[in-house]
Amino acid sequence: MSTQAPIRRNTHQVQIDHIAVGSESPVIVQSMTNTDTADAAGTAQQIKALSDAGSEMVRITVNSPEAAGKVAEIRRRLDDMGCNTPLIGDFHFNGERLLQEFPDCAKALSKYRINPGNVGKGVKGDEKFAYMIRTAAEHDKAVRIGVNWGSLDQSLAKRMMDANLASANPKSPDEVMKEALIVSALESAQKAVDLGLPENKIILSCKVSAVQDLIQVYRDLGARCRYPLHLGLTEAGMGSKGIVASTAALAVLLQEGIGDTIRISLTPEPGSPRTQEVVVGQEILQTMGLRSFTPMVTACPGCGRTTSTVFQELARDIQQYLREQMVVWRAQYPGVESLNVAVMGCVVNGPGESKLADIGISLPGTGETPVAPVYVDGQRKVTLKGDNMAAEFLAIVQEYVET
Ligand code: SF4
């Protein structure tokens, strides 16, 4: 089978430290902390965990003097841990004051996220926006102008609603609001350029929480500018709903070449790791064939031919093992992220899928001889039997990676 990667929408390239965002670069996976930024140690620890999981940039809330006062320390702590992941400061309401009072925060961040709807109204709002943009330009920082459905600039929305009512062919209020999101992002970007921020320092986003709306807004936004776009379904929700909704929206856009950086905004289920959103983001890109991050495990769903849970446990253990090993393997074994491993439940599809993978195991189904043939590069290499099959298979995977 041959597959063709979608042609990316042509954009400016935006450099954020060592990470390049734009159509000439791979789609970047990013995430956001949920710690209090004033807790420098806890925040640095979570950023490191997100980074180890594969987050290529991490956004932190900068919402108070206590938070802004710790940003430089967080950067230092990360550098001490050997973590060079760029930090994005998320500013709302008081960003200009915090950047003014904490110049080391302004310098330590690699990118500022500014929400035009939360900067302020009128002349005062314009002055605050201008201060943040000029600070970014002065420190050579990138800016994401991040518009959000839940915090749209109300004066702009009213202006557009009034104009719509006065027009000969009024659109539905919903359509006007979507247009207002796009206009807010584009007008703010133009203001930033007029204030001296180069175009290749600007990324845009227009987040909404409904799948069809997001697709429509980004198609339109993408057609009207050359700025790289940050994709994400805002408030995607919890558990499978959040994952499915994000995947449905992002997959359509990515397939059309729209989107240069993504974040999956999952509401974490109690007890689930914050890193889950990074894994989901990577898996969307990898299963679409756009990037490779971690060896993929192909596993069958199981059926009445497998009455034990041995193969599900092995598939889970292998996936977990590969993901954990990637922190070390990434540097040692270039290309390992493209590895395919198959863990199959019985002889029906087991040998076939195992032969197609780089390494595959076909476990015995109910009533079958209790042996598990292992295939390497399409050839039957060994047949495992007994209680130690899982450990022996892991050793074969490890040996394959090393050699
Ligand atoms: Fe069922 Fe075997 Fe197919 Fe797995 S490979 S789903 S166990 S028939």
Side-chain angles (χ1 to χ4, degrees), residues 205-221:
S205 67
C206 281
K207 293 192 182 179
V208 298
S209 57
V211 171
Q212 295 294 353
D213 289 341
L214 191 89
I215 293 169
Q216 186 187 340
V217 165
Y218 270 86
R219 278 179 177 158
D220 203 353
L221 177 65

Side-chain angles (χ1 to χ4, degrees), residues 32-105:
M32 185 172 185
T33 55
N34 63 355
T35 51
D36 179 353
T37 307
D39 170 11
T43 302
Q45 214 165 36
Q46 191 176 81
I47 294 166
K48 177 76 166 65
L50 290 165
S51 172
D52 285 347
S55 183
E56 294 162 299
M57 297 192 282
V58 177
R59 182 156 49 114
I60 58 175
T61 298
V62 187
N63 59 337
S64 65
E66 292 74 22
K70 293 290 180 169
V71 171
E73 180 186 336
I74 291 168
R75 179 72 271 167
R76 270 196 304 277
R77 284 174 178 267
L78 290 168
D79 291 343
D80 290 346
M81 288 189 269
C83 176
N84 64 357
T85 302
L87 294 183
I88 305 160
D90 199 48
F91 293 102
H92 299 269
F93 312 114
N94 57 358
E96 91 298 343
R97 185 160 61 84
L98 298 176
L99 287 171
Q100 195 166 19
E101 288 175 13
F102 296 91
D104 57 347
C105 164

Side-chain angles (χ1 to χ4, degrees), residues 363-365 367-372 383-386 389:
L363 287 154
E368 293 175 18
T369 312
V371 297
T383 300
L384 304 179
K385 53 184 109 166
M389 284 193 277

Side-chain angles (χ1 to χ4, degrees), residues 300-306 311 344-350:
C300 75
C303 65
R305 299 177 68 94
T306 51
F311 94 95
M344 299 294 292
C346 86
V347 75
V348 171
N349 290 324

Side-chain angles (χ1 to χ4, degrees), residues 246-247 250-251 254 264 279-288:
S246 293
T247 307
L250 268 56
L254 291 165
I264 310 301
V279 173
V280 173
Q282 290 184 330
E283 286 181 344
I284 290 173
L285 296 178
Q286 186 154 357
T287 52
M288 289 184 72

Side-chain angles (χ1 to χ4, degrees), residues 194-257:
D194 294 344
L195 287 162
L197 191 68
E199 285 186 324
N200 67 358
K201 289 284 174 194
I202 298 173
I203 294 174
L204 299 186
S205 67
C206 281
K207 293 192 182 179
V208 298
S209 57
V211 171
Q212 295 294 353
D213 289 341
L214 191 89
I215 293 169
Q216 186 187 340
V217 165
Y218 270 86
R219 278 179 177 158
D220 203 353
L221 177 65
R224 288 161 68 173
C225 69
R226 279 196 62 220
Y227 296 108
L229 301 183
H230 169 74
L231 290 190
L233 191 71
T234 193
E235 290 106 30
M238 191 175 258
S240 60
K241 186 263 170 183
I243 295 171
V244 170
S246 293
T247 307
L250 268 56
V252 170
L253 291 166
L254 291 165
Q255 188 60 25
E256 295 175 12

